[in-house]
């Protein structure tokens, strides 16, 4: 008896925790529900990297993740596709073109010294620059900051090695009138002149700024790319698909209506056909739904339309377990067993069938998750999570609910179980 009420207390605590979780941590929604952009990027080989292998592709993915996180996109999805492609989903992105600019640039940062005039004239960015050992690899941090005249600049912080190189380069250029060219992907973005006061010593402290008449957005994008680092190889946008927020909202409403209708029909059927066990099954399904959604929020499952389909399908699987239990209990009662004995036997006889069916479903989910991609994997994940939780609610929750309700004498009748008769002694 004490164990029964402790189990009931556990179910109540878990249900309350699930409600609290859903209130405080809303489930992130996928691209098909809230709109946004989906980009398919293709890694391009270079003279230095002639073959795009898994290591190179993983390096590209890592840099893209850092850039997207700095962009502030909610719940992005970045997946490797095939041998040389990466799919990026950016829910709720209002400016996909900006995202393309940030993700698409290789962002190879270089510092070059303007070479002395050889008598033919200095052509600025036309090629008279000498490369140095100072590149974006020696950057520790980059951020956007306003200037005193209401303009914007990118503030750089170098690693210790980068600081030494920067001091050496600026010391060589100080007072010569030659410019320090700052190049991004072979395009000069700034070319400051180092003053004579830095001759020989150079600019120490490991810090520098990039100016150039940038807007706030331009310098913010530049800082994101520099801080995230350079891509190991160039990438090309081969597909840009935009999903409107209105389409996503329509999808949400349609899914909610369909889900509510399906779940409501299941609840009514269970209550009418199985009566008391059906009512208990409905209670267990309500707990199941709350626990399922709360787990989505905790582990960061991004809810998509296939994910909603997986959730609804898993509810059907959870109902199937309760159907088996109710049918086995009815059979035991019709065979003349006493009430409590029949209930326990019903759960025990149904348990092996429930385990077998759920294991086969989990195997199918594992195959879909392993071989599938994108939305298919979302469907497999939500279905698998639902199946796992249904084992707890169908067996533990249903059992404790039914045991507690059987303490009410008025519920110990054949009609409540759809049985022919019940032995007089429970």
């Amino acid at each position: 008896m004490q164990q029964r009420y402790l189990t009931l207390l556990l179910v109540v605590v878990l249900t309350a925790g699930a409600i609290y979780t859903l209130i405080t941590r809303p489930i992130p929604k996928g691209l098909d529900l809230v709109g946004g952009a989906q980009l398919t990027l293709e890694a391009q080989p270079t003279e230095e990297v002639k073959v795009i292998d898994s290591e190179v592709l993983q390096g590209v993915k890592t840099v893209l993740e850092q850039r997207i996180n700095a962009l502030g996109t909610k719940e992005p999805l970045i997946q490797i596709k095939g041998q040389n492609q990466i799919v990026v989903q950016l829910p709720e992105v209002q400016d996909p073109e900006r995202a393309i600019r940030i993700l698409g640039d290789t962002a190879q940062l270089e510092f070059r010294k303007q070479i002395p005039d050889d008598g033919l004239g200095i052509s600025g960015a036309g090629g008279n620059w000498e490369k140095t050992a100072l590149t974006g690899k020696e950057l520790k941090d980059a951020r956007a900051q306003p200037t005193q005249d209401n303009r914007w600049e990118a503030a750089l912080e170098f690693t210790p090695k980068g600081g030494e190189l920067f001091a050496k380069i600026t010391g060589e250029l100080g007072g010569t009138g030659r410019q320090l060219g700052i190049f991004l992907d072979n395009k000069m973005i700034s070319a400051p002149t180092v003053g004579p006061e830095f001759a020989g010593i150079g600019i120490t402290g490991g810090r520098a700024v990039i100016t150039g008449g940038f807007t706030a957005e331009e310098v913010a994008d530049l800082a994101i790319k520099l801080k995230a680092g350079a891509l190991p190889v160039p990438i090309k946008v081969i597909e840009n698909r935009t999903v409107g927020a209105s389409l996503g909202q329509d999808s949400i409403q349609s899914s909610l209506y369909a889900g509510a209708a399906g779940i409501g029909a299941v609840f009514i059927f269970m209550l009418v056909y199985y009566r008391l066990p059906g009512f208990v099954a409905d209670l267990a399904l309500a707990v199941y739904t709350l626990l399922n959604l709360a787990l989505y929020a905790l582990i960061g499952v991004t809810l998509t339309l296939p994910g909603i389909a997986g959730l609804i399908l898993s509810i059907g699987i959870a109902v199937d377990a309760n159907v088996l239990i109710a049918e086995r209990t009815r059979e035991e009662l019709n065979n003349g067993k006493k009430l409590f004995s029949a209930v326990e036997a019903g759960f025990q006889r149904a348990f092996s069938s429930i385990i077998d069916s759920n294991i086969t479903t989990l195997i199918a989910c594992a195959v879909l998750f392993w071989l599938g991609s994108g939305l298919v994997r979302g469907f497999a994940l939500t279905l698998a999570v639902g199946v796992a939780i249904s084992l707890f609610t169908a067996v533990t929750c249903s059992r404790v609910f039914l045991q507690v309700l059987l303490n009410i004498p008025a519920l110990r009748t054949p009609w409540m179980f759809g049985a022919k008769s019940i032995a007089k002694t429970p």
Side-chain angles (χ1 to χ4, degrees):
M1 182 69 71
Q2 184 179 4
Q3 183 179 1
R4 180 186 308 168
Y5 285 103
L6 286 176
T7 304
L8 180 62
L9 179 61
L10 173 63
V11 173
V12 172
V13 170
L14 288 176
T15 303
I19 295 173
Y20 176 79
T21 299
L22 292 174
I23 293 175
T24 57
R25 297 183 60 172
I27 302 175
K29 300 179 182 63
L31 187 70
D32 53 350
L33 298 182
V34 295
Q38 175 173 300
L39 309 175
T40 302
L41 311 174
E42 186 176 80
Q44 306 292 308
T46 64
E47 293 184 0
E48 294 79 12
V49 184
K50 296 183 179 181
V51 178
I52 305 298
D53 55 20
S54 59
E55 184 177 352
V56 172
L57 210 56
Q58 186 61 44
V60 173
K61 180 184 176 184
T62 299
V63 174
L64 292 177
E65 287 174 343
Q66 294 173 347
R67 293 184 183 181
I68 291 172
N69 291 336
L71 189 60
T73 302
K74 296 181 180 179
E75 304 299 334
L77 180 64
I78 308 172
Q79 292 181 327
I80 293 176
K81 177 184 177 182
Q83 301 298 319
N84 62 347
Q85 294 181 358
I86 293 179
V87 177
V88 179
Q89 291 186 357
L90 305 172
E92 298 186 75
V93 166
Q94 303 297 325
D95 187 359
E97 294 302 322
R98 183 191 177 200
I100 291 175
R101 290 195 303 269
I102 292 176
L103 299 181
D105 288 342
T106 308
Q108 294 281 359
L109 181 69
E110 296 178 289
F111 291 81
R112 303 179 186 177
K113 298 185 295 184
Q114 187 177 31
I115 63 175
D117 188 357
D118 57 2
L120 300 177
I122 297 177
S123 58
N128 290 339
W129 298 90
E130 176 188 353
K131 291 187 176 183
T132 69
L134 184 58
T135 66
K137 294 181 180 179
E138 303 302 333
L139 271 185
K140 182 179 179 181
D141 191 18
R143 64 184 183 277
Q145 67 180 23
T147 62
Q148 294 181 348
D149 55 355
N150 294 324
R151 296 185 180 183
W152 287 87
E153 62 187 13
L156 309 180
E157 182 180 352
F158 297 104
T159 63
K161 178 183 176 181
E164 293 176 2
L165 289 172
F166 185 68
K168 180 177 181 294
I169 295 168
T170 53
E172 294 173 353
L173 295 177
T176 64
R178 295 155 56 198
Q179 295 173 305
L180 173 63
I182 304 175
F183 288 77
L184 187 68
D185 293 338
N186 291 318
K187 179 181 179 182
M188 189 173 69
I189 59 175
S190 184
T193 301
V194 183
E197 68 272 20
F198 299 109
I201 301 176
I203 301 175
T204 60
R207 297 178 183 273
V209 294
I210 300 178
T211 58
F214 302 113
T215 65
E217 183 177 288
E218 288 173 342
V219 77
D221 293 351
L222 176 61
I224 289 173
K225 290 183 285 189
L226 295 180
K227 188 173 182 178
L231 291 168
V233 292
I235 58 175
K236 178 182 179 182
V237 180
I238 61 174
E239 182 185 23
N240 176 12
R241 183 167 65 89
T242 301
V243 178
S246 60
L247 176 60
Q249 188 61 37
D250 292 342
S251 299
I252 292 176
Q253 291 180 352
S254 300
S255 300
L256 289 177
Y257 292 153
I263 294 173
V266 169
F267 274 43
I268 293 173
F269 170 79
M270 293 297 294
L271 184 61
V272 172
Y273 190 78
Y274 289 107
R275 299 163 193 176
L276 183 60
F279 174 73
V280 168
D282 290 345
L283 289 179
L285 286 176
V287 173
Y288 163 82
T289 303
L290 289 173
L291 293 180
N292 215 353
L293 294 175
L295 189 59
Y296 290 173
L298 288 175
I299 65 178
V301 173
T302 300
L303 198 60
T304 62
L305 283 178
I308 293 175
L311 172 62
I312 296 174
L313 182 57
S314 67
I315 292 175
I317 295 174
V319 170
D320 179 63
N322 284 277
V323 168
L324 288 174
I325 294 169
E327 288 290 349
R328 296 294 182 269
T329 301
R330 181 185 293 177
E331 289 175 3
E332 296 295 330
L333 290 172
N334 288 334
N335 289 333
K337 278 197 173 183
K338 298 175 182 179
L339 181 56
F340 285 108
S341 298
V343 169
E344 287 301 315
F347 277 94
Q348 291 174 4
R349 288 183 57 196
F351 185 74
S352 60
S353 298
I354 294 171
I355 289 293
D356 292 344
S357 64
N358 284 339
I359 287 178
T360 56
T361 304
L362 288 174
I363 292 173
C365 291
V367 173
L368 285 174
F369 191 84
W370 179 39
L371 298 179
S373 62
L375 300 179
V376 174
R377 299 186 74 183
F379 170 80
L381 179 60
T382 54
L383 180 56
V385 170
V387 168
I389 297 177
S390 71
L391 282 173
F392 171 75
T393 56
V395 177
T396 304
C397 294
S398 296
R399 175 178 291 183
V400 71
F401 289 159
L402 190 55
Q403 289 174 340
V404 171
L405 288 174
L406 287 180
N407 289 324
I408 303 174
L411 299 180
R412 302 173 190 167
T413 64
W415 185 88
M416 282 293 182
F417 290 84
K420 298 176 181 178
S421 62
I422 293 180
K424 293 183 179 180
T425 303

